[in-house]
Amino acid sequence: MPTMIAALTLSAPVPAATPLWAAAWTVDWDALRRVASLADHNTRVVLLGVVLLGLAGGVVGTLLLLRRRALLSDTISHACLPGVVLAFLLGELWFGGGRSLPWLLLGAAIAGSSGALAVHWLRHRAGVREDAALAMVLSVFFGAGVVLLSLVQQAPGGGAAGLSGFVFGKAASLTAADARWIATLSSLLLLAVFLLRKEFALLCFDETHARVQGWPVRGLDLALMGAVVAVTVTGLQAVGLLLVVALLIIPPAAARFWTDHLTTSMALAGAIGAGSGAAGVMLSALLPRAPAGAVIVLAASTTFALSMLFGHKRGLCARALRRHRQARAIGRDHLLRAIYECLETKGITDRASASRNQAGRLPLPDLAHHRSWTDSELRALVRHADADGFVARLANDHIQLTRAGWDKAARLTRNHRLWELYLLHYADSAAAVVDREADVMEHVVGQDVADRLERLLENQVPRFAVPDSPHDLGGKAGPLPRVGSPHAEPDARREVGPTP
Amino acid sequence: MNAAAPSPAPVGEPAMSVRDLNVAYDRKMVLWDVGFDLPGGTLAAMVGPNGAGKSTVLKAALGLVPSASGQVRFFGLPLERARRRVAYVPQRESVDWDFPVNALDVVAMGLYRQVGWCLPLTKRHRDRAMEALVRVGLADLARRQIGQLSGGQQQRVFLARALVQDADLYLMDEPFAGVDAATERAIVDVLRALRAEGRTVLCVHHDLDTVTAYFDHCLLLNMRVIAAGPVARVFQPDHLRRTFGDRWRLLEDTVVRFGEEAVTSGRS
């Protein structure tokens, strides 16, 4: 183990004969094996306690975040410090057992709850704004705690030496008895939240509805805050009061990137919290100098960063991918309609001649004129349409629609023109602008709207045909073509390529 | 929803009765001696200009905002004893639509009181929630996260949540505000079905054009009740002018001053 710490901190001299990387690999395998295999009873109990704590933190934190009270947990945890020190003092004075964990946790719970109530009182009775109330209570309680702590530590006896562990946490040196307390409290808390999950969900989603239905909203709110205090107090010793808030906030925030469902969200947040707790305990067993609380928080925030990037519901990548797909579909639709209109000006208005005949082949530059595409944009669009099986790329920069491509192009053009007609007749748009307006709208509407448009414009448009464009296309429009039903999706994907 | 249609309120026992309701926000009087009786089995609109206190009437009656004085009875009973018979549809903006629940979950929340403390939802409850979603035409979207629904669909989810409560009186806050035509039709159909089942509905309504078409009773409100009763009698130019017109301003000023005096004298 010392070798490894030396390698990681680079503070101890490395023998000249051993290259740096080799020193880094001389891990104390024995220690690693002991931790990983959980051979040590103490490690097992501590691990169990911290895992359950992480689980409870994630589950309660999900509700806390949904109730929009994230900052309250920070205030509560800081407010716990004077409670711990006072409990220690009183314990020493009364029965000489100030170090007993349940006793200290009781003190922390009372102080934490007082902090929460002080915020509530400042807000509702004294009219202080919530953010100011939170900041005030946090600093006043924490300040009082620091003063008390320094007084206690100066006192003779040195019994208070361990108290500062509550500030940063000391998961690695938890005793089995402490860990058993943490495990018990966390399990009870999980059970309580499990039983009240329906009521808490209602409270967080729609407090008004809960009140109209006659639920005791105030009591439920107090219960939820009580759960937050319980997690905070339970986590004080393992994670420390500065960082216990991370156990409540980060796992739920990470879980939200993966799911849109409350129960799943709670379970996932619990799992992330538990995993982070486990990682923290393992690592701090290997590196006794690293404060466990900080390691747990780093593990949780790594999970958060990964979730934010790769979460499949709301992650950045997922969202970018959705935007990209949409942009690509819109570009493809524009390309297909441009091809259709090009063919139309050449008098080609049926699938056979468009997708089979020589006349259906279009040189790319013709299309480039049609919209404000640059050459490379156009080529990318054609490449994508080719991949989707709507367009075939031919020699000499020519392209031709496939049969599926023709069907889709005809349907798109039809929808576009229905929109244009609708805008002309019912929205009083000028013929010069309908093209652009329809361009925007046609991508937002589905087939059902197109069907409704059709019914509306029934007497102006022959059924299942592409109507003439209401504005000039820059060439002579051909006769109305007949295409398949607008409902039928093209089944042939790449049936017909170029024909001689 | 359930076979046994509730019996209409007995004659002489209004579905909702409000007496001398006074509400003040800070120093401004919002409701001033509001009183009315809503007969059972009616479809009633509460109409008035912006800031007239329409939503406040519902919220004060349901105990959601404190009232300075007044008495509200539902079917002759105080709210505490009539909760099961009253359902409320709040304005759509009142909740966080980003919340991780789907449409079916939200509708099922209307049943939580019947499910009871700590017990899980059963399949029977989920089926009833689904039936309510069918009734408002959202069966296909039951599993969709509520934030991905359109405004009108969100409004219908709220309506479905009220429907599963199987109440006798429905209080709705602007159910038609900012909804699409399909939603408006769906809501009107549901309202009429409720009336046909002998239930009572009171809607805060903002669209004067549709009052006569959708409702049979009307309540004109501007800080106090201007007129209340059958639409044909109440929805008259004279009443409307008194509700929306300029002459109201004079009284409004008086009432504001009165409210301030009440607050100051209450302090001293």
Side-chain angles (χ1 to χ4, degrees), chain B residues 8-51:
Chain B
V11 182
E13 196 70 276
M16 180 180 180
S17 118
V18 176
R19 292 282 170 277
D20 304 328
L21 187 63
N22 286 283
V23 175
Y25 287 148
D26 288 330
R27 312 193 64 191
K28 193 179 183 313
M29 231 33 201
V30 181
L31 297 179
W32 193 42
D33 278 346
V34 165
F36 60 89
D37 282 336
L38 185 65
T42 55
L43 202 51
M46 178 150 51
V47 179
N50 285 335

mmCIF file of all heavy atoms in Angstrom, chain B residues 8-51:
data_model
loop_
_atom_site.group_PDB
_atom_site.id
_atom_site.type_symbol
_atom_site.label_atom_id
_atom_site.label_comp_id
_atom_site.label_asym_id
_atom_site.label_seq_id
_atom_site.Cartn_x
_atom_site.Cartn_y
_atom_site.Cartn_z
ATOM 1 N N PRO B 8 -79.294 13.170 -8.485
ATOM 2 C CA PRO B 8 -79.162 14.619 -8.488
ATOM 3 C C PRO B 8 -79.411 15.162 -7.085
ATOM 4 O O PRO B 8 -80.108 14.535 -6.281
ATOM 5 C CB PRO B 8 -80.252 15.070 -9.457
ATOM 6 C CG PRO B 8 -80.719 13.853 -10.164
ATOM 7 C CD PRO B 8 -80.383 12.681 -9.313
ATOM 8 N N ALA B 9 -78.806 16.303 -6.826
ATOM 9 C CA ALA B 9 -78.991 16.888 -5.508
ATOM 10 C C ALA B 9 -80.488 17.112 -5.270
ATOM 11 O O ALA B 9 -81.202 17.510 -6.185
ATOM 12 C CB ALA B 9 -78.252 18.208 -5.424
ATOM 13 N N PRO B 10 -80.943 16.867 -4.063
ATOM 14 C CA PRO B 10 -82.364 17.060 -3.790
ATOM 15 C C PRO B 10 -82.755 18.520 -3.993
ATOM 16 O O PRO B 10 -81.941 19.426 -3.860
ATOM 17 C CB PRO B 10 -82.504 16.645 -2.325
ATOM 18 C CG PRO B 10 -81.130 16.667 -1.764
ATOM 19 C CD PRO B 10 -80.228 16.356 -2.900
ATOM 20 N N VAL B 11 -84.002 18.705 -4.334
ATOM 21 C CA VAL B 11 -84.481 20.067 -4.583
ATOM 22 C C VAL B 11 -84.291 20.884 -3.310
ATOM 23 O O VAL B 11 -84.525 20.407 -2.202
ATOM 24 C CB VAL B 11 -85.966 20.019 -4.994
ATOM 25 C CG1 VAL B 11 -86.449 21.429 -5.309
ATOM 26 C CG2 VAL B 11 -86.159 19.094 -6.181
ATOM 27 N N GLY B 12 -83.829 22.109 -3.509
ATOM 28 C CA GLY B 12 -83.648 22.967 -2.344
ATOM 29 C C GLY B 12 -82.282 22.823 -1.719
ATOM 30 O O GLY B 12 -81.927 23.587 -0.839
ATOM 31 N N GLU B 13 -81.500 21.846 -2.160
ATOM 32 C CA GLU B 13 -80.151 21.672 -1.625
ATOM 33 C C GLU B 13 -79.175 21.949 -2.752
ATOM 34 O O GLU B 13 -78.870 21.066 -3.542
ATOM 35 C CB GLU B 13 -79.993 20.245 -1.113
ATOM 36 C CG GLU B 13 -78.793 20.056 -0.213
ATOM 37 C CD GLU B 13 -78.955 20.732 1.132
ATOM 38 O OE1 GLU B 13 -78.683 21.941 1.205
ATOM 39 O OE2 GLU B 13 -79.337 20.050 2.095
ATOM 40 N N PRO B 14 -78.662 23.160 -2.868
ATOM 41 C CA PRO B 14 -77.784 23.454 -4.010
ATOM 42 C C PRO B 14 -76.488 22.655 -3.948
ATOM 43 O O PRO B 14 -76.031 22.295 -2.858
ATOM 44 C CB PRO B 14 -77.519 24.957 -3.872
ATOM 45 C CG PRO B 14 -77.915 25.311 -2.503
ATOM 46 C CD PRO B 14 -78.858 24.287 -1.982
ATOM 47 N N ALA B 15 -75.925 22.378 -5.140
ATOM 48 C CA ALA B 15 -74.664 21.644 -5.188
ATOM 49 C C ALA B 15 -73.565 22.444 -4.503
ATOM 50 O O ALA B 15 -72.678 21.889 -3.873
ATOM 51 C CB ALA B 15 -74.305 21.359 -6.635
ATOM 52 N N MET B 16 -73.650 23.761 -4.646
ATOM 53 C CA MET B 16 -72.634 24.608 -4.028
ATOM 54 C C MET B 16 -73.327 25.888 -3.600
ATOM 55 O O MET B 16 -74.114 26.457 -4.352
ATOM 56 C CB MET B 16 -71.547 24.911 -5.051
ATOM 57 C CG MET B 16 -70.415 25.776 -4.548
ATOM 58 S SD MET B 16 -69.235 26.025 -5.867
ATOM 59 C CE MET B 16 -68.030 27.043 -5.050
ATOM 60 N N SER B 17 -73.052 26.298 -2.393
ATOM 61 C CA SER B 17 -73.661 27.543 -1.954
ATOM 62 C C SER B 17 -72.613 28.378 -1.226
ATOM 63 O O SER B 17 -71.896 27.880 -0.366
ATOM 64 C CB SER B 17 -74.880 27.223 -1.094
ATOM 65 O OG SER B 17 -74.714 27.698 0.199
ATOM 66 N N VAL B 18 -72.507 29.611 -1.652
ATOM 67 C CA VAL B 18 -71.481 30.512 -1.123
ATOM 68 C C VAL B 18 -72.173 31.705 -0.479
ATOM 69 O O VAL B 18 -73.110 32.268 -1.057
ATOM 70 C CB VAL B 18 -70.541 30.977 -2.262
ATOM 71 C CG1 VAL B 18 -69.536 31.985 -1.746
ATOM 72 C CG2 VAL B 18 -69.849 29.797 -2.892
ATOM 73 N N ARG B 19 -71.740 32.071 0.718
ATOM 74 C CA ARG B 19 -72.342 33.215 1.413
ATOM 75 C C ARG B 19 -71.251 34.155 1.911
ATOM 76 O O ARG B 19 -70.319 33.703 2.587
ATOM 77 C CB ARG B 19 -73.141 32.740 2.632
ATOM 78 C CG ARG B 19 -74.388 31.958 2.321
ATOM 79 C CD ARG B 19 -75.538 32.886 1.881
ATOM 80 N NE ARG B 19 -76.648 32.108 1.365
ATOM 81 C CZ ARG B 19 -76.721 31.646 0.106
ATOM 82 N NH1 ARG B 19 -75.767 31.907 -0.743
ATOM 83 N NH2 ARG B 19 -77.745 30.935 -0.296
ATOM 84 N N ASP B 20 -71.361 35.414 1.573
ATOM 85 C CA ASP B 20 -70.509 36.477 2.154
ATOM 86 C C ASP B 20 -69.032 36.150 2.079
ATOM 87 O O ASP B 20 -68.297 36.335 3.051
ATOM 88 C CB ASP B 20 -70.886 36.722 3.626
ATOM 89 C CG ASP B 20 -72.349 37.049 3.782
ATOM 90 O OD1 ASP B 20 -72.888 37.669 2.847
ATOM 91 O OD2 ASP B 20 -72.948 36.656 4.796
ATOM 92 N N LEU B 21 -68.577 35.663 0.947
ATOM 93 C CA LEU B 21 -67.169 35.292 0.826
ATOM 94 C C LEU B 21 -66.337 36.547 0.556
ATOM 95 O O LEU B 21 -66.559 37.249 -0.429
ATOM 96 C CB LEU B 21 -66.991 34.281 -0.310
ATOM 97 C CG LEU B 21 -65.618 33.670 -0.475
ATOM 98 C CD1 LEU B 21 -65.231 32.867 0.746
ATOM 99 C CD2 LEU B 21 -65.591 32.789 -1.711
ATOM 100 N N ASN B 22 -65.383 36.815 1.445
ATOM 101 C CA ASN B 22 -64.469 37.949 1.274
ATOM 102 C C ASN B 22 -63.045 37.432 1.240
ATOM 103 O O ASN B 22 -62.649 36.667 2.117
ATOM 104 C CB ASN B 22 -64.602 38.928 2.441
ATOM 105 C CG ASN B 22 -65.872 39.732 2.347
ATOM 106 O OD1 ASN B 22 -65.970 40.670 1.572
ATOM 107 N ND2 ASN B 22 -66.870 39.344 3.118
ATOM 108 N N VAL B 23 -62.298 37.857 0.223
ATOM 109 C CA VAL B 23 -60.904 37.440 0.119
ATOM 110 C C VAL B 23 -60.066 38.659 -0.185
ATOM 111 O O VAL B 23 -60.433 39.491 -1.030
ATOM 112 C CB VAL B 23 -60.709 36.388 -0.988
ATOM 113 C CG1 VAL B 23 -59.237 36.058 -1.148
ATOM 114 C CG2 VAL B 23 -61.500 35.135 -0.674
ATOM 115 N N ALA B 24 -58.943 38.799 0.505
ATOM 116 C CA ALA B 24 -58.018 39.889 0.208
ATOM 117 C C ALA B 24 -56.619 39.308 0.040
ATOM 118 O O ALA B 24 -56.191 38.475 0.834
ATOM 119 C CB ALA B 24 -58.034 40.908 1.345
ATOM 120 N N TYR B 25 -55.939 39.719 -1.036
ATOM 121 C CA TYR B 25 -54.523 39.381 -1.194
ATOM 122 C C TYR B 25 -53.744 40.593 -0.724
ATOM 123 O O TYR B 25 -53.915 41.680 -1.277
ATOM 124 C CB TYR B 25 -54.179 39.111 -2.655
ATOM 125 C CG TYR B 25 -54.694 37.811 -3.202
ATOM 126 C CD1 TYR B 25 -55.054 37.704 -4.534
ATOM 127 C CD2 TYR B 25 -54.809 36.678 -2.392
ATOM 128 C CE1 TYR B 25 -55.520 36.507 -5.056
ATOM 129 C CE2 TYR B 25 -55.274 35.491 -2.900
ATOM 130 C CZ TYR B 25 -55.630 35.414 -4.233
ATOM 131 O OH TYR B 25 -56.089 34.238 -4.735
ATOM 132 N N ASP B 26 -52.864 40.427 0.216
ATOM 133 C CA ASP B 26 -52.156 41.564 0.791
ATOM 134 C C ASP B 26 -53.151 42.645 1.189
ATOM 135 O O ASP B 26 -53.950 42.434 2.084
ATOM 136 C CB ASP B 26 -51.099 42.112 -0.180
ATOM 137 C CG ASP B 26 -49.939 41.142 -0.281
ATOM 138 O OD1 ASP B 26 -49.693 40.449 0.717
ATOM 139 O OD2 ASP B 26 -49.321 41.065 -1.340
ATOM 140 N N ARG B 27 -53.132 43.792 0.524
ATOM 141 C CA ARG B 27 -54.030 44.864 0.941
ATOM 142 C C ARG B 27 -55.152 45.047 -0.057
ATOM 143 O O ARG B 27 -55.962 45.950 0.086
ATOM 144 C CB ARG B 27 -53.236 46.164 1.096
ATOM 145 C CG ARG B 27 -51.979 45.999 1.885
ATOM 146 C CD ARG B 27 -51.409 47.321 2.271
ATOM 147 N NE ARG B 27 -52.322 48.030 3.156
ATOM 148 C CZ ARG B 27 -52.176 49.304 3.479
ATOM 149 N NH1 ARG B 27 -51.197 49.998 2.970
ATOM 150 N NH2 ARG B 27 -53.026 49.891 4.299
ATOM 151 N N LYS B 28 -55.174 44.216 -1.097
ATOM 152 C CA LYS B 28 -56.162 44.448 -2.135
ATOM 153 C C LYS B 28 -57.311 43.468 -1.970
ATOM 154 O O LYS B 28 -57.109 42.262 -1.884
ATOM 155 C CB LYS B 28 -55.524 44.272 -3.509
ATOM 156 C CG LYS B 28 -56.383 44.784 -4.628
ATOM 157 C CD LYS B 28 -55.685 44.594 -5.974
ATOM 158 C CE LYS B 28 -56.486 45.156 -7.120
ATOM 159 N NZ LYS B 28 -57.902 44.796 -7.121
ATOM 160 N N MET B 29 -58.516 44.018 -1.896
ATOM 161 C CA MET B 29 -59.710 43.195 -1.840
ATOM 162 C C MET B 29 -59.876 42.479 -3.174
ATOM 163 O O MET B 29 -59.793 43.104 -4.230
ATOM 164 C CB MET B 29 -60.886 44.150 -1.638
ATOM 165 C CG MET B 29 -61.860 43.897 -0.540
ATOM 166 S SD MET B 29 -61.346 43.179 0.970
ATOM 167 C CE MET B 29 -62.945 42.609 1.491
ATOM 168 N N VAL B 30 -60.078 41.174 -3.166
ATOM 169 C CA VAL B 30 -60.277 40.445 -4.419
ATOM 170 C C VAL B 30 -61.734 40.030 -4.561
ATOM 171 O O VAL B 30 -62.326 40.145 -5.636
ATOM 172 C CB VAL B 30 -59.357 39.216 -4.471
ATOM 173 C CG1 VAL B 30 -59.541 38.481 -5.777
ATOM 174 C CG2 VAL B 30 -57.916 39.632 -4.311
ATOM 175 N N LEU B 31 -62.301 39.551 -3.492
ATOM 176 C CA LEU B 31 -63.723 39.187 -3.518
ATOM 177 C C LEU B 31 -64.424 39.941 -2.402
ATOM 178 O O LEU B 31 -63.925 40.059 -1.300
ATOM 179 C CB LEU B 31 -63.892 37.675 -3.306
ATOM 180 C CG LEU B 31 -63.285 36.771 -4.376
ATOM 181 C CD1 LEU B 31 -63.511 35.331 -3.994
ATOM 182 C CD2 LEU B 31 -63.869 37.071 -5.732
ATOM 183 N N TRP B 32 -65.585 40.413 -2.729
ATOM 184 C CA TRP B 32 -66.298 41.272 -1.795
ATOM 185 C C TRP B 32 -67.727 40.758 -1.641
ATOM 186 O O TRP B 32 -68.538 40.897 -2.538
ATOM 187 C CB TRP B 32 -66.282 42.705 -2.349
ATOM 188 C CG TRP B 32 -66.699 43.728 -1.363
ATOM 189 C CD1 TRP B 32 -66.351 43.806 -0.058
ATOM 190 C CD2 TRP B 32 -67.565 44.832 -1.619
ATOM 191 N NE1 TRP B 32 -66.927 44.890 0.528
ATOM 192 C CE2 TRP B 32 -67.668 45.547 -0.401
ATOM 193 C CE3 TRP B 32 -68.243 45.309 -2.751
ATOM 194 C CZ2 TRP B 32 -68.451 46.696 -0.296
ATOM 195 C CZ3 TRP B 32 -68.998 46.444 -2.637
ATOM 196 C CH2 TRP B 32 -69.096 47.143 -1.421
ATOM 197 N N ASP B 33 -67.990 40.120 -0.532
ATOM 198 C CA ASP B 33 -69.324 39.620 -0.237
ATOM 199 C C ASP B 33 -69.905 38.792 -1.376
ATOM 200 O O ASP B 33 -71.026 39.023 -1.821
ATOM 201 C CB ASP B 33 -70.273 40.785 0.078
ATOM 202 C CG ASP B 33 -70.110 41.221 1.526
ATOM 203 O OD1 ASP B 33 -69.474 40.455 2.294
ATOM 204 O OD2 ASP B 33 -70.614 42.295 1.881
ATOM 205 N N VAL B 34 -69.124 37.861 -1.852
ATOM 206 C CA VAL B 34 -69.607 37.017 -2.948
ATOM 207 C C VAL B 34 -70.576 35.985 -2.380
ATOM 208 O O VAL B 34 -70.297 35.337 -1.366
ATOM 209 C CB VAL B 34 -68.431 36.310 -3.639
ATOM 210 C CG1 VAL B 34 -68.917 35.183 -4.509
ATOM 211 C CG2 VAL B 34 -67.640 37.306 -4.456
ATOM 212 N N GLY B 35 -71.706 35.869 -3.018
ATOM 213 C CA GLY B 35 -72.676 34.861 -2.585
ATOM 214 C C GLY B 35 -73.492 34.363 -3.756
ATOM 215 O O GLY B 35 -73.882 35.142 -4.628
ATOM 216 N N PHE B 36 -73.677 33.064 -3.843
ATOM 217 C CA PHE B 36 -74.535 32.514 -4.900
ATOM 218 C C PHE B 36 -74.897 31.071 -4.539
ATOM 219 O O PHE B 36 -74.236 30.448 -3.699
ATOM 220 C CB PHE B 36 -73.852 32.559 -6.267
ATOM 221 C CG PHE B 36 -72.569 31.786 -6.345
ATOM 222 C CD1 PHE B 36 -72.572 30.434 -6.705
ATOM 223 C CD2 PHE B 36 -71.344 32.397 -6.057
ATOM 224 C CE1 PHE B 36 -71.385 29.725 -6.777
ATOM 225 C CE2 PHE B 36 -70.160 31.685 -6.120
ATOM 226 C CZ PHE B 36 -70.180 30.350 -6.486
ATOM 227 N N ASP B 37 -75.921 30.571 -5.172
ATOM 228 C CA ASP B 37 -76.293 29.167 -5.055
ATOM 229 C C ASP B 37 -76.170 28.536 -6.431
ATOM 230 O O ASP B 37 -76.642 29.107 -7.412
ATOM 231 C CB ASP B 37 -77.744 29.018 -4.581
ATOM 232 C CG ASP B 37 -77.854 29.256 -3.091
ATOM 233 O OD1 ASP B 37 -76.833 29.071 -2.395
ATOM 234 O OD2 ASP B 37 -78.943 29.642 -2.640
ATOM 235 N N LEU B 38 -75.531 27.393 -6.494
ATOM 236 C CA LEU B 38 -75.405 26.690 -7.771
ATOM 237 C C LEU B 38 -76.321 25.467 -7.701
ATOM 238 O O LEU B 38 -76.032 24.528 -6.958
ATOM 239 C CB LEU B 38 -73.954 26.261 -7.982
ATOM 240 C CG LEU B 38 -73.632 25.620 -9.318
ATOM 241 C CD1 LEU B 38 -73.829 26.611 -10.438
ATOM 242 C CD2 LEU B 38 -72.205 25.117 -9.315
ATOM 243 N N PRO B 39 -77.441 25.478 -8.459
ATOM 244 C CA PRO B 39 -78.361 24.337 -8.378
ATOM 245 C C PRO B 39 -77.714 23.074 -8.918
ATOM 246 O O PRO B 39 -76.851 23.137 -9.792
ATOM 247 C CB PRO B 39 -79.533 24.763 -9.261
ATOM 248 C CG PRO B 39 -79.310 26.190 -9.594
ATOM 249 C CD PRO B 39 -77.868 26.476 -9.417
ATOM 250 N N GLY B 40 -78.110 21.926 -8.404
ATOM 251 C CA GLY B 40 -77.553 20.653 -8.862
ATOM 252 C C GLY B 40 -77.947 20.366 -10.299
ATOM 253 O O GLY B 40 -78.979 20.841 -10.798
ATOM 254 N N GLY B 41 -77.095 19.612 -11.003
ATOM 255 C CA GLY B 41 -77.406 19.182 -12.363
ATOM 256 C C GLY B 41 -77.261 20.265 -13.402
ATOM 257 O O GLY B 41 -77.763 20.124 -14.515
ATOM 258 N N THR B 42 -76.558 21.340 -13.082
ATOM 259 C CA THR B 42 -76.396 22.405 -14.075
ATOM 260 C C THR B 42 -74.976 22.426 -14.617
ATOM 261 O O THR B 42 -74.051 21.883 -14.010
ATOM 262 C CB THR B 42 -76.683 23.788 -13.467
ATOM 263 O OG1 THR B 42 -75.853 23.950 -12.328
ATOM 264 C CG2 THR B 42 -78.130 23.921 -13.080
ATOM 265 N N LEU B 43 -74.864 23.090 -15.768
ATOM 266 C CA LEU B 43 -73.566 23.310 -16.398
ATOM 267 C C LEU B 43 -73.376 24.820 -16.368
ATOM 268 O O LEU B 43 -74.028 25.530 -17.116
ATOM 269 C CB LEU B 43 -73.642 22.786 -17.832
ATOM 270 C CG LEU B 43 -72.386 22.406 -18.565
ATOM 271 C CD1 LEU B 43 -71.561 21.469 -17.737
ATOM 272 C CD2 LEU B 43 -72.766 21.733 -19.877
ATOM 273 N N ALA B 44 -72.546 25.290 -15.454
ATOM 274 C CA ALA B 44 -72.520 26.730 -15.204
ATOM 275 C C ALA B 44 -71.183 27.331 -15.586
ATOM 276 O O ALA B 44 -70.135 26.709 -15.422
ATOM 277 C CB ALA B 44 -72.804 27.009 -13.733
ATOM 278 N N ALA B 45 -71.234 28.559 -16.114
ATOM 279 C CA ALA B 45 -70.018 29.306 -16.447
ATOM 280 C C ALA B 45 -69.875 30.462 -15.476
ATOM 281 O O ALA B 45 -70.859 31.103 -15.137
ATOM 282 C CB ALA B 45 -70.117 29.829 -17.869
ATOM 283 N N MET B 46 -68.647 30.694 -15.024
ATOM 284 C CA MET B 46 -68.381 31.890 -14.235
ATOM 285 C C MET B 46 -67.608 32.844 -15.126
ATOM 286 O O MET B 46 -66.520 32.515 -15.612
ATOM 287 C CB MET B 46 -67.579 31.538 -12.981
ATOM 288 C CG MET B 46 -67.243 32.744 -12.150
ATOM 289 S SD MET B 46 -67.108 32.400 -10.408
ATOM 290 C CE MET B 46 -66.005 31.038 -10.365
ATOM 291 N N VAL B 47 -68.200 34.005 -15.396
ATOM 292 C CA VAL B 47 -67.655 34.925 -16.394
ATOM 293 C C VAL B 47 -67.367 36.265 -15.741
ATOM 294 O O VAL B 47 -68.109 36.697 -14.860
ATOM 295 C CB VAL B 47 -68.674 35.100 -17.544
ATOM 296 C CG1 VAL B 47 -68.148 36.072 -18.582
ATOM 297 C CG2 VAL B 47 -68.982 33.760 -18.184
ATOM 298 N N GLY B 48 -66.282 36.886 -16.167
ATOM 299 C CA GLY B 48 -65.968 38.216 -15.661
ATOM 300 C C GLY B 48 -64.659 38.678 -16.261
ATOM 301 O O GLY B 48 -63.926 37.882 -16.847
ATOM 302 N N PRO B 49 -64.335 39.959 -16.121
ATOM 303 C CA PRO B 49 -63.087 40.464 -16.707
ATOM 304 C C PRO B 49 -61.867 39.911 -15.978
ATOM 305 O O PRO B 49 -61.991 39.299 -14.917
ATOM 306 C CB PRO B 49 -63.192 41.977 -16.512
ATOM 307 C CG PRO B 49 -64.150 42.149 -15.402
ATOM 308 C CD PRO B 49 -65.099 41.005 -15.452
ATOM 309 N N ASN B 50 -60.689 40.146 -16.560
ATOM 310 C CA ASN B 50 -59.439 39.713 -15.918
ATOM 311 C C ASN B 50 -59.324 40.365 -14.549
ATOM 312 O O ASN B 50 -59.637 41.529 -14.382
ATOM 313 C CB ASN B 50 -58.238 40.138 -16.761
ATOM 314 C CG ASN B 50 -58.090 39.262 -17.977
ATOM 315 O OD1 ASN B 50 -58.540 38.110 -17.963
ATOM 316 N ND2 ASN B 50 -57.491 39.801 -19.025
ATOM 317 N N GLY B 51 -58.866 39.582 -13.594
ATOM 318 C CA GLY B 51 -58.675 40.155 -12.268
ATOM 319 C C GLY B 51 -59.968 40.304 -11.499
ATOM 320 O O GLY B 51 -59.999 40.946 -10.454
#
